[in-house]
Amino acid sequence: MEALETYIERMSTAESELLAELERETYLRVINPRMISGHVQGKFLEMLVRMIRPQRILEIGTFTGYSALSMAAGLPDGGVIDTCEVDDELEFMIRSFFDRSAYADKLNLYIGSALDIVPTLNQTYDMVFIDGDKCEYSAYYKMLFECGAVRSGSWILADNILWYGKVVEQPVKGDKQTPAIVEFNRMVSEDERVENVILPLRDGLNLVRVK
Ligand SMILES: C[S@@+](CC[C@H](N)C(=O)[O-])C[C@H]1O[C@@H](n2cnc3c(N)ncnc32)[C@H](O)[C@@H]1O
């Protein structure tokens, strides 16, 4: 499996120097660096943005900014990304990489919980990338519809929806994330307002189109 992952990385277009530096810095300085999207998923996000051509993207869970910068690389002229991060200790690092990129003017960083911030932005998004707290995925999804942040034609992409394969295993006592992701995937698959497909890229992406 590791050999296959290395092969996929080598046969995909290389990440930019800035993104490679951001990944190195994340592994050096931040707790839980494995949360970063990284090279292949980052390239996939950029390509998806090039395909969808959204004018406004919402991201829930900036972390150190890798996925936001990847999506920004694919944005059409005039496009913007609103990205929310609850951990204020990450703000300095995020802003320093955003400022060094060519996309600083396209990226709006909000520090705080997306559940509090998004309803106050009064925006409708063409694309939403959900990558925050796994236990809050269902709450994010409901909030997006309730506050009008998504509409017919919007795309939602949710990360980590296979949760290292645990979604098909027997639940383990004390594990809150797995049941939360299982519930999120169930809710989406039964929601008649949308159609969706699960992509087994990295830890799994749920690609949802609002009908
Ligand atoms: C998996 S990481 C995001 C990785 C990032 N999207 C990337 O690809 O590099 C999850 C992030 O979501 C943040 N988070 C958790 N709950 C949140 C919330 N309610 N609102 C905004 N961010 C949240 C965490 O602090 C963490 O930095």
Side-chain angles (χ1 to χ4, degrees):
M1 198 63 191
E2 226 177 273
L4 206 50
E5 275 169 22
T6 307
Y7 179 80
I8 291 168
E9 292 225 345
R10 281 187 34 235
M11 293 297 124
S12 300
T13 303
E15 64 197 334
S16 69
E17 241 328 294
L18 189 72
L19 284 178
E21 186 185 328
L22 173 56
E23 188 159 10
R24 280 196 302 274
E25 288 278 306
T26 302
Y27 273 84
L28 276 175
R29 292 195 198 178
V30 183
I31 301 167
N32 289 330
R34 286 182 57 216
M35 293 201 295
I36 197 167
S37 278
H39 169 203
V40 174
Q41 185 162 301
K43 201 71 204 167
F44 175 72
L45 288 170
E46 177 190 334
M47 300 281 222
L48 193 66
V49 170
R50 288 193 193 282
M51 286 189 264
I52 295 175
R53 301 190 57 75
Q55 278 299 313
R56 192 165 272 272
I57 299 177
L58 171 68
E59 176 178 61
I60 299 177
T62 321
F63 190 43
T64 54
Y66 194 103
S67 45
L69 285 168
S70 298
M71 291 189 285
L75 266 186
D77 283 350
V80 289
I81 301 179
D82 292 336
T83 179
C84 305
E85 173 51 56
V86 79
D87 183 354
D88 60 6
E89 290 188 6
L90 294 170
E91 182 173 4
F92 181 80
M93 185 167 172
I94 300 167
R95 288 202 192 279
S96 67
F97 275 87
F98 282 5
D99 289 346
R100 287 174 56 200
S101 76
Y103 320 112
D105 58 338
K106 299 180 168 191
L107 289 157
N108 304 318
L109 174 65
Y110 297 91
I111 298 293
S113 172
L115 291 170
D116 300 326
I117 292 167
V118 177
T120 69
L121 297 177
N122 294 317
Q123 294 287 351
T124 302
Y125 295 93
D126 305 306
M127 179 178 162
V128 180
F129 182 44
I130 298 180
D131 196 14
D133 181 341
K134 309 310 152 195
C135 293
E136 293 181 341
Y137 271 32
S138 296
Y140 301 146
Y141 186 81
K142 287 177 192 156
M143 174 271 290
L144 292 172
F145 284 91
E146 276 164 21
C147 74
V150 291
R151 45 131 182 92
S152 170
S154 297
W155 295 85
I156 302 170
L157 188 67
D159 194 15
N160 302 106
I161 47 78
L162 298 178
W163 205 230
Y164 311 104
K166 291 182 195 167
V167 288
V168 290
E169 290 170 4
Q170 280 300 317
V172 174
K173 220 175 148 205
D175 172 4
K176 294 194 182 110
Q177 281 100 341
T178 309
I181 292 173
V182 167
E183 169 56 19
F184 171 75
N185 288 331
R186 186 203 59 76
M187 192 181 67
V188 171
S189 71
E190 291 177 4
D191 185 353
E192 296 197 340
R193 297 169 297 183
V194 305
E195 59 177 351
N196 78 300
V197 63
I198 287 180
L199 308 169
L201 179 70
R202 215 181 59 129
D203 195 21
L205 292 162
N206 202 339
L207 180 62
V208 182
R209 187 183 75 88
V210 183
K211 291 193 236 173

